[in-house]
Amino acid sequence: MLRRFDLRGDLPGSSADLRAALPRPDLGGPGSEGAVLSAVRTILDDVKARGDEAVRELTSRFDGAEPTAIQVDPVEVAAALDRIDPVLRTALEVAAEAIQRHHVGQVRSEYRTEDAGLVVRSVSRPVERAGCYVPGGRAAYPSTVLMTAVPARVAGVDEVVVCVPPDPDGRVAEVTLAAAAVAGVDAVYAVGGAQAVAAMAFGTESIPPVDVIVGPGNVYVALAKREVAGLVGVPSAFAGPSEVVVVADATVPTSFVAIDIVVQAEHGPDGLAWLITWDEAVADAVDAEVSRIVEASPRRDDVTATLASAGWVVLVDGPNEALAVSDAIAPEHLQLMVDDAESLADRVRHAGAVFCGPWSPASLGDYVAGPSHVLPTAGTARFSGALTVADFTKEVHIVTADRGALERLAPHVAALADAEGLDAHAASVQIRTRHRLGTSHDV
């Protein structure tokens, strides 16, 4: 079931060459992006031009649903919390508490520097309105509501809204609404796909525009967010189809390794599920166990689709080579199922989240560990990381100088301004060094 890629004794020397040599899912990149990107741009333009009318038509076309209203009644959202199983409600509350606890530690206090009369303060200010995209259709994802909305609340965002695709009956899953209630979401909209991104970016009659759009989704959603970046804030990570790389040796039970490969694969097609090992016996045993698990999986079609396109076993010479391959992939989830996993983790450079040892499956991170499970995919972990409080805030610098500081620094400002041919920049400090307080003219 897992295809083999043997790199023993033949690992490309540079990271760029290694990235080029490794098979990757086709996520609308160069060579195939045209059709996907064209469709996304058409959707964005349609929603921008026609607002709610376009949203309703696109929801009917892509989700087969006719919601009675684009916004879910807030009374229904609040009531969902009491209608779900108490065990599930407790799980949502435990997860929300863990997410809040972790993200409170990311809230930045004022940073201040002083230098002989020059005071610079850097303060963090939250955006006013944040939009959280939550996938749906194949399954309900209440965890993503918590993993996006709770950090936004911790950041101090005034208004947090959620867009989620409705089911064929036009409804949003009750557990998703319950999660919105737990997270304190202000509004839930029954709209998904690229049209949801467009609605949050441009605004419609029912959905006011937001300042930031976060959350994972399929390639259409991820490309739509990329297209509206600049109009609204969008994290640099490409939060697309789910990925996992498991590095394993013979010290961990085969069943642990196999189930963790299947865990991410069950999210559906376009994902990535890899095993990297230097032990061929481990590769054989895990492959057999994956096949057994998939045969019995309720989501067999989704798992099979992912593994058919991006299920691989990579054979390498040892741990160093395994890390080189993993860093080249820069996966969303990296599981180190090896002896002394912590030491290996300290050497990882590119991954959205790293899980160490046999008792730390990625599913802990998906639900209750605390850090947001909105992670970089498609190799963007090379330059971006997990969703954090910082994605909902911006730095504002407050600069105050006294006369002495200005006179001390003015010659340097003037020298640099002159070098750049910006005369007014130089004059703006020079005129001040000649000015005397209490006069109405320059002296």
Side-chain angles (χ1 to χ4, degrees):
M1 176 159 283
L2 299 175
R3 288 176 287 175
R4 302 245 171 151
F5 196 53
D6 196 337
L7 289 175
R8 289 175 294 185
D10 191 30
L11 202 66
S14 73
S15 58
D17 289 342
L18 184 51
R19 285 198 301 270
L22 295 171
R24 294 299 298 257
D26 185 351
L27 295 179
S32 67
E33 188 177 74
V36 177
L37 187 54
S38 177
V40 167
R41 287 174 173 168
T42 298
I43 291 169
L44 295 176
D45 290 343
D46 193 17
V47 173
K48 184 178 182 180
R50 299 194 297 126
D52 280 356
E53 183 181 8
V55 167
R56 289 191 179 93
E57 290 180 9
L58 291 164
T59 299
S60 177
R61 185 194 312 170
F62 295 121
D63 297 309
E66 304 284 347
T68 54
I70 290 176
Q71 181 176 351
V72 179
D73 187 338
V75 173
E76 186 178 346
V77 176
L81 196 55
D82 293 323
R83 289 198 293 260
I84 62 171
D85 188 302
V87 173
L88 182 55
R89 175 172 177 162
T90 298
L92 290 173
E93 292 168 345
V94 166
E97 182 180 352
I99 297 163
Q100 181 176 26
R101 182 172 60 246
H102 176 82
H103 288 86
V104 162
Q106 297 173 352
V107 176
R108 221 188 118 170
S109 58
E110 176 182 302
Y111 179 69
R112 180 186 180 103
T113 58
E114 297 186 34
D115 179 28
L118 176 68
V119 179
V120 178
R121 293 186 292 136
S122 289
V123 296
S124 180
R125 295 285 187 258
V127 302
E128 294 181 20
R129 184 174 162 87
C132 303
Y133 184 84
V134 175
R138 293 179 178 276
Y141 294 102
S143 59
T144 301
V145 176
L146 301 179
M147 293 289 184
T148 53
V150 172
R153 282 295 184 215
V154 171
V157 175
D158 294 335
E159 189 173 3
V160 181
V161 304
V162 165
C163 279
V164 56
D167 64 21
D169 294 329
R171 299 179 60 82
V172 173
E174 197 136 78
V175 67
T176 302
L177 298 180
V182 169
V185 168
D186 294 289
V188 178
Y189 301 106
V191 53
Q195 60 270 27
V197 175
M200 289 189 285
F202 305 126
T204 72
E205 297 88 334
S206 297
I207 306 176
V210 301
D211 301 308
V212 169
I213 300 175
V214 303
N218 62 21
V219 65
Y220 288 85
V221 170
L223 286 175
K225 287 196 297 179
R226 192 178 73 181
E227 286 296 297
V228 300
L231 175 64
V232 295
V234 174
S236 59
F238 189 93
S242 191
E243 302 173 342
V244 68
V245 168
V246 181
V247 178
D249 62 17
T251 65
V252 176
T254 298
S255 59
F256 287 19
V257 179
I259 193 63
D260 289 343
I261 289 172
V262 173
V263 161
Q264 300 306 322
E266 72 177 351
H267 282 290
D270 299 324
L272 178 151
W274 285 35
L275 167 66
I276 305 175
T277 185
W278 47 92
D279 189 326
E280 197 161 1
V282 169
D284 293 339
V286 170
D287 193 14
E289 183 67 8
V290 166
S291 296
R292 186 193 67 76
I293 293 171
V294 171
E295 283 298 315
S297 173
R299 296 177 67 87
R300 177 180 172 182
D301 290 345
D302 287 333
V303 177
T304 300
T306 301
L307 297 182
S309 62
W312 290 88
V313 174
V314 182
L315 294 168
V316 294
D317 291 316
N320 292 336
E321 291 76 15
L323 280 186
V325 172
S326 176
D327 277 341
I329 298 167
E332 178 188 23
H333 304 92
L334 172 61
Q335 291 190 228
L336 300 178
M337 312 274 276
V338 296
D339 185 43
D340 198 15
E342 288 276 356
S343 294
L344 207 60
D346 288 339
R347 296 162 53 197
V348 172
R349 298 192 66 179
H350 307 309
V354 182
F355 300 86
C356 299
W359 310 114
S360 308
S363 54
L364 278 178
D366 287 342
Y367 297 115
V368 296
S372 178
H373 73 197
V374 181
L375 300 168
T377 68
T380 57
R382 289 188 297 110
F383 54 82
S384 61
L387 183 74
T388 69
V389 163
D391 291 304
F392 300 100
T393 62
K394 60 275 178 82
E395 291 294 297
V396 178
H397 305 313
I398 302 173
V399 179
T400 307
D402 62 19
R403 184 181 184 94
L406 178 70
E407 289 179 339
R408 176 172 55 86
L409 295 171
H412 306 303
V413 173
L416 291 168
D418 288 343
E420 295 182 355
L422 301 174
D423 294 344
H425 283 64
S428 74
V429 293
Q430 292 166 338
I431 198 172
R432 284 172 167 78
T433 62
R434 296 192 301 268
H435 192 80
R436 295 292 179 266
L437 291 180
T439 66
S440 60
H441 61 279
D442 298 322
V443 295

